[in-house]
Amino acid sequence: MNGQTAPVDLTIDQIGAALDDLLDRRDPNGSSTVLGAGSDDLEAGRRFLGSLVDGGWMVPTWPSRHGGRDADAAEAALIETAMGGYAIADMYPYGVGLNLVGPVLLERGTPDQQDRWLRPIADGSEIWCQMFSEPDAGSDLANVGMRADRDGDEWVLTGSKVWTSRGAYARWGMCLARTDASLAKHRGLTMFAVEMSAPGVEVRPLVQINGDRHFTEVFVSDVRVPDADRIGDLGAGWGLTVETLAHERATIGGRAFGGGDAEEVGLPSWLEEWRNAGRLDGPVERQAAMRSFVEHRVNQMATARAAALADGSAPGPEGSMAKLRSVAAFKSRAYLGKNLRGAAGMLSDSPGHLEFLTAPSMSIRGGTDEVQRNIVGERILGLPGEPRVDKGVAYSELKKSR
Ligand SMILES: Cc1cc2nc3c(=O)[nH]c(=O)nc-3n(C[C@H](O)[C@H](O)[C@H](O)COP(=O)(O)OP(=O)(O)OC[C@H]3O[C@@H](n4cnc5c(N)ncnc54)[C@H](O)[C@@H]3O)c2cc1C
């Protein structure tokens, strides 16, 4: 691969032939990664992205000058299917850049920002994190209190963020901040790119139950951000946040964890393993396993169907349904796998322990299950909205916990 734009309308065999030169085939019995839990192998991911970037295989719909190959949605779907047959490095450290920031920059970034940031995302040389949540702004994300005050060509940011995944090693943070407290809380927000090594940024690690150490809280004290690093228009931060979260939910929901993302015929390896180990000999266990399997297959088929119908437009509230489905399938398998091992499952080195410890967080990260259901209820089913006592009230007038 030499960086040239490849011919359009490739067949899956042609794509496979190109990928054969770059990647190893996937071990069909190997398990997929658990959102990077416990690994964070930055170098493996960087090598992987580096080998794909000239052909634009990782982000095929991006322009070729930014590390893509100008593919349309149909060709991108073929590439994604073909990629399912290869060993994929753990992309978790690179996920915010590839799946959230990149698509948002393509829509809303200035040409200068696209030139500066997209290629380093595609080739893995620059990692991004998502600085949205704060102690008083999680499900109620529009309540963000981080301040951004204008000073000439710069902004001065002050506040704190929490639950910042990848904060420990990210170069850039996509940061939501309040630029006008006199407006209602959804309206006075603006998005910035914050350099994590800038003076005044302090990143403190938070160790998770599954051993992850990239998780952080970030304290931001009088940090100067050039106006050239403002993403989108002044006051457009909430719209960008909703877009980013839709991408995040569609990404989490677009994965069929544990059985490989490619469509499969027959039993997934985890179910075969349970059967071969004699764990499904009892009728109760068999029934529980079948329930898990059905959730897994339905999720896998719904994901494949959504990919086939995709027209390249930005994801909407259907990403919330995908996330709910995929998280339910993941948790069902993780908890049952633990239960089926009986007392031996209590050992920390037992297979599936990492999935078990990671499972609860799946219902929280990217927005909780309850919040996804609210979105589905209001934006897809047209049910009445939740009562909102702060609607139209200036952020500065709202009651705060401190
Ligand atoms: C592993 C992990 C990684 C994360 N990574 C990031 C990251 O990289 N960047 C980032 O910005 N954030 C990140 N988060 C934060 C995550 O988005 C928030 O934790 C989540 O949105 C919930 O917010 P909260 O923790 O403040 O809980 P709260 O909003 O306080 O919610 C507490 C409980 O109340 C329920 N609840 C709240 N409001 C409603 C409602 N209106 N209707 C029904 N139930 C409701 C919730 O469902 C939940 O059960 C991460 C979280 C986890 C666990």
Side-chain angles (χ1 to χ4, degrees):
M1 287 295 133
N2 52 14
Q4 292 165 354
T5 306
V8 289
D9 294 334
L10 291 179
T11 65
I12 196 143
D13 290 341
Q14 289 170 315
I15 295 168
L19 292 180
D20 275 341
D21 288 343
L22 302 170
L23 302 175
D24 294 328
R25 303 292 304 187
R26 179 169 79 97
D27 171 3
N29 295 318
S31 58
S32 63
T33 55
V34 189
L35 284 181
S39 106
D40 291 330
D41 187 343
L42 303 186
E43 278 318 306
R46 198 162 280 147
R47 275 197 306 277
F48 180 80
L49 288 173
S51 69
L52 295 176
V53 71
D54 282 343
W57 300 109
M58 192 65 200
V59 282
T61 55
W62 293 17
S64 53
R65 68 182 183 286
H66 297 316
R69 56 185 288 119
D70 304 289
D72 60 18
E75 194 187 29
L78 273 187
I79 293 170
E80 198 180 331
T81 304
M83 288 273 252
Y86 295 86
I88 310 285
D90 178 7
M91 281 294 98
Y92 179 79
Y94 302 91
V96 168
L98 291 168
N99 302 318
L100 313 188
V101 177
V104 167
L105 286 176
L106 283 167
E107 284 279 315
R108 315 273 170 202
T110 62
D112 164 64
Q113 291 173 344
Q114 294 176 348
D115 287 343
R116 280 192 289 143
W117 291 330
L118 286 173
R119 174 88 190 189
I121 289 174
D123 69 17
S125 55
E126 292 184 359
I127 292 177
W128 285 69
C129 64
Q130 179 190 24
M131 292 166 65
F132 287 7
S133 303
E134 297 181 3
D136 285 334
S139 301
D140 185 12
L141 189 54
N143 201 41
V144 152
M146 165 97 56
R147 284 179 52 176
D149 298 317
R150 183 124 201 187
D151 182 18
D153 282 345
E154 292 182 326
W155 294 86
V156 181
L157 269 61
T158 299
S160 69
K161 296 287 174 181
V162 72
W163 319 134
T164 312
S165 306
R166 310 166 183 83
Y169 47 64
R171 162 140 192 216
W172 293 97
M174 188 194 211
C175 180
L176 184 63
R178 187 160 305 279
T179 40
D180 189 346
S182 71
L183 299 176
K185 62 181 183 178
H186 291 84
R187 293 182 50 218
L189 295 166
T190 303
M191 198 70 83
F192 296 91
V194 172
E195 188 135 26
M196 302 300 280
S197 59
V201 177
E202 187 194 344
V203 180
R204 292 193 200 156
L206 296 169
V207 180
Q208 287 185 62
I209 189 176
N210 65 0
D212 274 357
R213 288 171 182 277
H214 59 80
F215 208 42
T216 55
E217 51 186 341
V218 183
F219 296 90
V220 173
S221 313
D222 294 329
V223 172
R224 294 196 159 262
V225 175
D227 189 52
D229 291 355
R230 170 173 48 81
I231 303 174
D233 292 337
L234 186 61
W238 184 247
L240 281 169
T241 302
V242 171
E243 258 175 58
T244 310
L245 292 175
H247 282 294
E248 180 170 24
R249 288 156 190 168
T251 304
I252 299 179
R255 294 195 51 182
F257 294 103
D261 294 356
E263 273 189 80
E264 288 168 20
V265 179
L267 296 187
S269 53
W270 48 271
L271 194 53
E272 284 219 44
E273 187 216 307
W274 292 352
R275 187 183 60 180
N276 295 343
R279 298 203 175 87
L280 305 185
D281 292 350
V284 174
E285 289 77 9
R286 251 194 332 270
Q287 188 172 353
M290 277 307 107
R291 189 170 295 131
S292 248
F293 175 56
V294 168
E295 280 185 64
H296 168 81
R297 275 303 271 154
V298 167
N299 179 43
Q300 206 172 33
M301 291 162 87
T303 302
R305 183 165 173 271
L309 293 175
D311 60 2
S313 55
E318 69 280 2
S320 295
M321 287 172 67
K323 183 182 184 250
L324 281 168
R325 213 175 43 230
S326 142
V327 165
F330 178 87
K331 289 174 82 172
S332 153
R333 185 175 62 80
Y335 292 154
L336 184 62
K338 178 62 84 179
N339 283 346
L340 289 175
R341 281 176 207 280
M346 297 307 289
L347 301 175
S348 59
D349 60 356
S350 68
H353 194 63
L354 194 59
E355 281 92 338
F356 175 72
L357 294 182
T358 305
S361 75
M362 303 293 289
S363 286
I364 304 173
R365 58 173 89 187
T368 66
D369 285 358
E370 291 78 11
V371 165
Q372 309 307 328
R373 289 196 187 97
N374 283 347
I375 293 170
V376 172
E378 291 182 26
R379 295 191 48 206
I380 297 181
L381 300 177
L383 298 175
E386 289 198 302
R388 293 191 170 102
V389 290
D390 50 11
K391 204 168 179 182
V393 181
Y395 174 81
S396 55
E397 301 298 318
L398 295 177
K399 289 198 166 49
K400 314 274 186 329
S401 62
R402 62 198 134 98

